[in-house]
Amino acid sequence: MEAQNEIEYYNPFERMSFSYDCCFLCGTPLTNQNESEEHIFPKWLLEKFNLWNSTITLLNGTLIPYRMLRIPCCNECNNEHLSRIENIVRQGLEDGYEGFSKIDNKIIFQWISKIFYGLLFKELSLVSDRRNPSVGTITTPELLKQFRMSHTFLQSVRFPIEFEEFQPWSIHIVEGQESETKGIFNYVDGLVTLTFSINLGKVIIFAHLQDNGIHQAEKEDYFNKLQGCKLHNIQFLEIATKLIYSSYLLQHSPTYIFHAITEGNGPLKVYSMSSSYYYDDWDELVYAKLLHYYLSHFYEIDFESIYSSKEKKCVSFIRNQDGSFHEIPVDARIAFTKLK
C-alpha cells in the first residue's frame, strides 16, 4: 500500500499495536492535552434507548455494560471526524425511517464500521478467562489481522478514500417498530462473516462490511419485498441470522489495490481485484441451529419449535403460509408451538 501524502496512513496491524496509549483510529500518541475516549455505541444512542446499565455479551460470554464500551481516541478524531458522522446518523434517526433512508450509504458504512471495529479493539484488551489471565485475550492479534481492511476503510472518516467502480459493503435499511412502553434496540454481529445487524426501533440496518456489494445485489428482491413492512424484533433476529449464515456460505476472497494521489492532497483510491464468487449449499438444519442460538438469547424457545424434523424445514416469522407479510404487534407475546 502506498502511503497517503498529507495525512499519514495508520496501520496498527504492522506491529500489532492495540494499546490504550494511542488513538485507535489515527495512531496519535495520547497525552493529557489530546486524550479522550470514544464510546463504541455513542452516548446519544445509550441515552435514547436507556442502555447505560444494559449489558452486551462478549466473545467469552462475559457481560459488560454498554457504558463501559470505550476505546482510546484523540480529541481531533473524536470531536471532529467521528462527531460529524454521529451527528448525521443521529439526525437521520430522529427524522424517522424516510429521513434515515436518505443518508449516504458511505456515512452509514463508516458509522457501523466504527462500532464493529471498536468492539474488536475492546475485546482485544480483555482476557478470555478472568479466572485464568494467562490464556490470553478474547480476540487474538492473529484473528484481528483478518479485519485490517475494516480499519483501513474506516479511516475514510479522516481523509478521503474513493472506491473505484465498486463498494465494499452491502447495506439494507428496513422499517422497524416503535413501542410506547419500551425502547426497541437489538444488536447482532458476525465476527468471522463481517456482518452487522442493528435494530434501532423505527430503523433497522442489515450490513456486510466487506462483500463488495454481493449481498446488495443478490438480496435486492428479498429486501424490496419488505418495503412498507414494519419488522418485529423476532423478525429482525431471523433476518440477521440469515445474513450471518448466507455470508458464511459465501465463497469470496476480496483483494484490493491502493493508490495514493500525490498531487493536490488527492484521495486514496481503492481498486477491487475480486469478482468471482459462489455460495455453498444451504443446509436448513444448520441454519435452524443458528437461528435457535440467537433467538434463545431473547426468548424461551425449544429447538423443536424452530425445526421440523419431519419436513426438514425451519420455521419463519417473516411470511404467512400464503406468502403475505406476517404482521406481529410490537408488544405481542410470542407463543411457540413445537413442530412435528
Side-chain angles (χ1 to χ4, degrees), residues 102-116:
K102 296 177 182 178
I103 299 176
D104 187 335
N105 272 358
K106 186 174 183 179
I107 298 292
I108 296 175
F109 172 70
Q110 292 168 331
W111 187 70
I112 63 181
S113 293
K114 189 267 292 190
I115 295 175
F116 188 92

Side-chain angles (χ1 to χ4, degrees), residues 1 3-4 7-11 148 152 155 158-159 268:
M1 178 184 297
Q4 179 74 353
I7 300 179
E8 182 179 356
Y9 168 74
Y10 172 52
N11 179 15
R148 60 186 180 274
T152 300
Q155 295 202 43
R158 52 184 289 262
F159 60 76
L268 178 67

